[in-house]
Amino acid sequence: TRELFSAQVGRGAFRNGFPIHASQTKALPDALLSLQLGSNRGKEMMTSYHNNFDRLMGSVGIHGHRSLGSAAISMIYVAQGMCDGYVEYGIHSWDVAAAGVIVLEAGGVLMDPTGAPFHVMSRKVLCAGTQELADALAATLTHADYEPEA
């Protein structure tokens, strides 16, 4: 795509040298979300994923859903305002570390899907353009305890 995304703590986030900014969407019904299955396809995780998807698409009624197949790309979409939020369980630190800095420097929010602070080794991530959206998403999700498959 001839795109280079970069960020430095305290200096902003950029696409090909031009500043990018996360969206200002605050409410779930207005949000375009990226949701991924993750690597754990165990019964408990799949049940949790299906319950969350049904809740977000049904009773909450989010604006739309995308599944991009890449944690880094999904997070970059949030950072540049092309998507309002993203959540995934089962990712690795190398999937999210660089993109996490870009999200934060673009004015977005990075946290654990349970609402706790983000930890790069936790194997789960939630990011959004605004704190209000991140909090609403975390409060809506059910959480299976993520245990990597042996």
Side-chain angles (χ1 to χ4, degrees):
T1 63
R2 299 188 186 276
E3 294 174 303
L4 175 65
F5 294 91
S6 61
Q8 277 188 305
V9 174
R11 295 197 170 179
F14 303 89
R15 177 184 161 258
N16 294 340
F18 294 94
I20 58 173
H21 304 283
S23 82
Q24 294 303 300
T25 301
K26 294 180 175 158
L28 281 171
D30 300 325
L32 174 64
L33 301 179
S34 178
L35 306 168
Q36 301 290 133
L37 284 173
S39 61
N40 183 335
R41 303 292 163 78
K43 184 176 181 177
E44 184 179 358
M45 284 304 297
M46 291 304 293
T47 299
S48 179
Y49 175 81
H50 287 288
N51 290 342
N52 287 331
F53 190 81
D54 287 346
R55 183 177 292 110
L56 289 167
M57 294 300 290
S59 60
V60 171
I62 62 171
H63 179 74
H65 165 260
R66 301 291 182 270
S67 183
L68 303 171
S70 164
I73 293 297
S74 294
M75 293 173 76
I76 293 300
Y77 270 39
V78 171
Q80 62 182 336
M82 294 176 66
C83 190
D84 301 305
Y86 162 69
V87 65
E88 184 170 357
Y89 297 83
I91 43 80
H92 294 279
S93 58
W94 54 82
D95 295 319
V96 297
V101 174
I102 295 171
V103 167
L104 292 172
E105 287 300 311
V109 176
L110 183 66
M111 60 195 257
D112 188 278
T114 64
F118 175 73
H119 189 284
V120 73
M121 298 303 289
S122 71
R123 306 226 28 216
K124 51 192 172 182
V125 66
L126 183 154
C127 64
T130 62
Q131 188 68 54
E132 293 89 345
L133 184 63
D135 290 342
L137 186 53
T140 302
L141 299 172
T142 61
H143 308 284
D145 290 330
Y146 180 77
E147 293 294 334
E149 292 185 315

